[in-house]
Amino acid sequence: MTSTMTPALRPISRDELLAALRDLPPLPSVVLELVESLGHDELSATQYAAKISRDQALAARTLRLANSSFYGRGRQVRSVAEAIGVLGLRTVRGVVTAAGLAGSFRRHAGFDHDAFWRHSIGSALCAQALAGELRRDDAELAFTVGLLHDIGRLALASAFAPAYAEVEQWRRDQDCPDGEAERAVLGIDHAEVGGLIARQWNFAPPIVDAIREHHAPPDAAVVTLTGIAHVADAIAHALGLTGDADEAVPALVLPVWAACRLDDAACMRLFARTEAQFETVCEALLQ
C-alpha cells in the first residue's frame, strides 16, 4: 500500500537551483574538449593522447580498460597512445568522458552512486549498440547521451542531499518513477535539471535536447538522438545492470520504439553486445 504523506520540504526555487548549478564542480578541461569535439575530427589521435595523458586519473582508467581481459592483446599497454590503438579513438573519448564525470561529483549518504554509474554506463553501451543496429554514423554521440541522460539526478543528489534523500524515500513509499518523486518533493525533475546542466557546460543542442527529453521524446517516424537515449535507458533498466532487485523499467513511448524497427535477432544482438562489455567498462571506470 502506498503512503499518502506529503513532502516535508518546500520545492526548490528557480534561483536556488541556478545558484546550485553554478556551484557544481567543473568538469576536467580534457572532458569538455572531448565532448565538444564529438562529430569533428580536427584533432589527431596523437593530440588526443597528449591531452588525456596530462590528467593522471583519466590516463590510468584508460590504461586499465585497454589492459582488461575484454580488450587484452597479450601484451601490456603502457601509454594512452597505445590504448587508443587498442580501443579506438571513439571508445577512448567515451571512456574519458565517463571517468571524468564519475570523478567530478562527491559521494553522499543515501544516494547509491555505484548503481547510478552502472546504469549510466549500461545506457551508454546500449545507446552505442542501438545506434549501430540502426546503422547510424553517430554511435559515439549516442554513447555520450546515454552516459549523461541522468546527470540531473546526480546534480540534485549532490547539491540538495537532504532533499534528495526525501525524494528517494518518497519514490520507495509511492512505488513511483524517479521523475514523479522529484516533482512531488522538489518541484522539478532530473531531466529538466540535466538539460540546464548540459547547456551550462556548452554541450551541443542535440545533447541538451536528448538529456532534457529522454523520458518524453517527441513522436517521430525517424529515430532521433533523443529517441535513442529514451530506448537505451529503458533497455538498460530491463537488463537489470545495476544489480537492484527492485529496478523499475520506465514506460516506453511506443511510436519511438516502433520507429526503431528492431526484430528479435537485432534485440538479442543489442542485449549481448551491451552485456559483453558492461562489467569490463565498469571495473575500469568505477574502481
Side-chain angles (χ1 to χ4, degrees):
M1 180 180 297
T2 58
S3 167
T4 58
M5 71 176 187
T6 56
L9 299 173
R10 62 175 176 79
I12 298 170
S13 73
R14 189 79 172 182
D15 288 344
E16 287 176 309
L17 176 62
L18 294 176
L21 296 185
R22 285 194 296 270
D23 289 338
L24 286 177
L27 290 181
S29 60
V30 66
V31 172
L32 289 173
E33 290 180 40
L34 292 180
V35 174
E36 289 171 0
S37 74
L38 292 174
H40 306 286
D41 294 315
E42 287 85 357
L43 297 179
S44 68
T46 300
Q47 289 171 308
Y48 277 117
K51 288 178 178 292
I52 296 167
S53 297
R54 290 199 297 268
D55 188 311
Q56 293 184 354
L58 298 181
R61 285 177 168 82
T62 302
L63 292 177
R64 185 184 300 156
L65 183 62
N67 285 306
S68 67
S69 58
F70 185 84
Y71 291 101
R73 300 296 179 86
R75 63 180 180 84
Q76 190 76 5
V77 175
R78 300 183 182 277
S79 71
V80 174
E82 284 185 78
I84 290 174
V86 170
L87 301 172
L89 182 54
R90 289 186 173 184
T91 297
V92 168
R93 287 202 290 199
V95 165
V96 170
T97 300
L101 286 166
S104 294
F105 288 86
R106 297 186 303 275
R107 289 176 174 264
H108 294 276
F111 184 77
D112 192 336
H113 284 254
D114 287 339
F116 173 86
W117 283 114
R118 285 176 67 85
H119 173 65
S120 296
I121 291 168
S123 297
L125 292 170
C126 187
Q128 186 179 53
L130 177 57
E133 287 294 334
L134 298 177
R135 292 177 169 79
R136 296 171 62 105
D137 60 3
D138 58 356
E140 186 179 14
L141 196 56
F143 179 97
T144 302
V145 299
L147 180 73
L148 295 170
H149 75 285
D150 274 346
I151 195 67
R153 284 192 68 218
L154 187 60
L156 287 170
S158 297
F160 302 99
Y164 208 79
E166 187 160 331
V167 168
E168 296 281 45
Q169 186 62 51
W170 178 272
R171 179 183 59 80
R172 289 190 291 269
D173 290 343
Q174 300 292 329
D175 190 24
C176 66
D178 293 320
E180 183 178 325
E182 291 159 352
R183 289 188 293 273
V185 176
L186 305 177
I188 194 169
D189 64 30
H190 67 272
E192 183 176 352
V193 173
L196 292 171
I197 294 169
R199 189 178 297 117
Q200 177 176 298
W201 284 340
N202 295 316
F203 288 170
I207 299 178
V208 175
D209 292 343
I211 293 171
R212 187 181 63 245
E213 299 175 349
H214 72 271
H215 283 306
D219 293 353
V222 177
V223 183
T224 64
L225 197 62
T226 302
I228 286 179
H230 174 71
V231 171
D233 174 45
I235 292 176
H237 278 299
L239 291 174
L241 299 176
T242 67
D244 181 357
D246 297 324
E247 188 165 3
V249 180
L252 274 171
V253 174
L254 293 182
V256 174
W257 170 249
C260 293
R261 299 180 181 178
L262 298 175
D263 59 20
D264 289 347
C267 286
M268 295 307 296
R269 287 194 300 271
L270 194 160
F271 301 159
R273 182 176 173 186
T274 300
E275 292 177 317
Q277 301 175 78
F278 177 69
E279 290 297 342
T280 297
V281 176
C282 286
E283 288 174 8
L285 300 185
L286 301 181
Q287 290 182 356

